[in-house]
Amino acid sequence: MQHGKRYKSSAELVDRMKEYSVEDAVGLLKSAADTKFDETIEIAVNLGVDPRHSDQNIRVTTSLPHGSGKQVSVLALASGPELKAAEEAGADYAGSDEFLAKLESGWNEMDVIVATPDLMPKLGKLGKILGPKGLMPNPKSGTVTKDVAAAVREIKAGRIEIRVDKNGIIHAPIGKKSFEEDQLVQNLRSVLSTIMRAKPATVKGTYLEKITVSSTMGPGIKVDRAFTA
């Protein structure tokens, strides 16, 4: 891959062989992210897990203390009092059968879908459509719940899903370049602490194999795996 002058200049600030403290890594990120747009800051964590085993297929949520900086669009699938409560909680879209029909036709203008348990049998029929897009609600991610309004508020406030992919890697946003350093540090620590709490009992050997943070256009910066939560 060919990198431009801006990337190469930023990369010169980073020692690729070194694992930086959380604070130093964030400081470098802020220094290296010098584009004109508000870059997203992300963390990638390589874990010593085998996602093929159900007990090691990590899927949890955490609330970023300072939010992700992204405006998240939420579809709430509910009826009756829960539907009204979801609308009042700030859901961008709320309803039931009419939105199920739109989803079936390929409509895709939301980032997260939250649903009440009674609607899951109908949603289950859309698994082939929603699954590949990562939109299928799931109790583990807090998106299948009787209290849809609370889920909508938490997601809007900065709750994110932490999910290991098939290669044993977790990718998650921790904020924007415009965030203050201490805000990014706190968000980063929140994600790492959640990952540590989610460690499966069956994992043997090294759990945290590599932690890397980066901005949209910047180089990866390794974080010390012996971080203090």
Side-chain angles (χ1 to χ4, degrees):
M1 180 184 294
Q2 292 294 319
H3 293 295
K5 292 181 180 180
R6 187 189 299 274
Y7 179 94
K8 292 178 180 178
S9 176
S10 298
E12 289 176 357
L13 300 173
V14 179
D15 182 345
R16 292 301 187 94
M17 302 303 294
K18 180 178 179 180
E19 289 189 351
Y20 293 87
S21 68
V22 170
E23 291 78 10
D24 287 346
V26 169
L28 271 175
L29 272 177
K30 293 280 286 183
S31 299
D34 61 351
T35 56
K36 294 181 179 179
F37 70 96
D38 197 10
E39 296 181 59
T40 296
I41 306 299
E42 295 187 341
I43 182 173
V45 184
N46 296 58
L47 298 177
V49 300
D50 186 347
R52 293 174 298 179
H53 297 164
S54 60
D55 61 336
Q56 296 186 26
N57 192 7
I58 298 170
R59 186 174 186 178
V60 293
T61 62
T62 190
S63 291
L64 298 177
H66 302 285
S68 67
K70 178 183 178 181
Q71 295 298 318
V72 180
S73 178
V74 182
L75 164 61
L77 295 173
S79 58
E82 277 299 324
L83 176 58
K84 183 179 180 180
E87 292 174 332
E88 293 175 348
D92 300 273
Y93 310 97
S96 54
D97 290 346
E98 69 274 29
F99 282 102
L100 289 169
K102 291 183 71 173
L103 290 169
E104 188 171 10
S105 68
W107 179 69
N108 185 26
E109 294 182 15
M110 84 304 297
D111 299 302
V112 180
I113 300 176
V114 180
T116 50
D118 60 296
L119 287 176
M120 286 309 295
K122 293 182 178 180
L123 259 179
K125 298 176 182 178
L126 303 180
K128 291 183 179 179
I129 297 173
L130 300 179
K133 298 177 182 178
L135 290 172
M136 178 60 76
N138 187 292
K140 289 184 178 181
S141 63
T143 48
V144 176
T145 173
K146 292 181 179 180
D147 195 347
V148 170
V152 170
R153 283 192 293 269
E154 290 173 4
I155 292 167
K156 286 287 189 178
R159 190 183 82 183
I160 62 170
E161 182 178 17
I162 295 176
R163 185 177 185 179
V164 68
D165 66 18
K166 63 181 182 180
N167 298 311
I169 304 172
I170 286 174
H171 297 274
I174 60 169
K176 294 285 188 176
K177 178 183 69 174
S178 58
F179 282 25
E180 297 294 330
E181 285 190 23
D182 64 327
Q183 293 178 319
L184 289 171
V185 166
Q186 290 174 39
N187 280 357
L188 175 55
R189 289 188 180 280
S190 176
V191 171
L192 290 175
S193 296
T194 299
I195 292 173
M196 289 303 297
R197 288 195 298 271
K199 179 182 179 181
T202 54
V203 169
K204 306 299 180 184
T206 303
Y207 178 52
L208 294 179
E209 295 184 341
K210 186 170 70 171
I211 305 170
T212 308
V213 290
S214 63
S215 61
T216 303
M217 303 297 290
I221 301 170
K222 292 181 182 178
V223 176
D224 186 357
R225 289 170 292 167
F227 72 97
T228 303

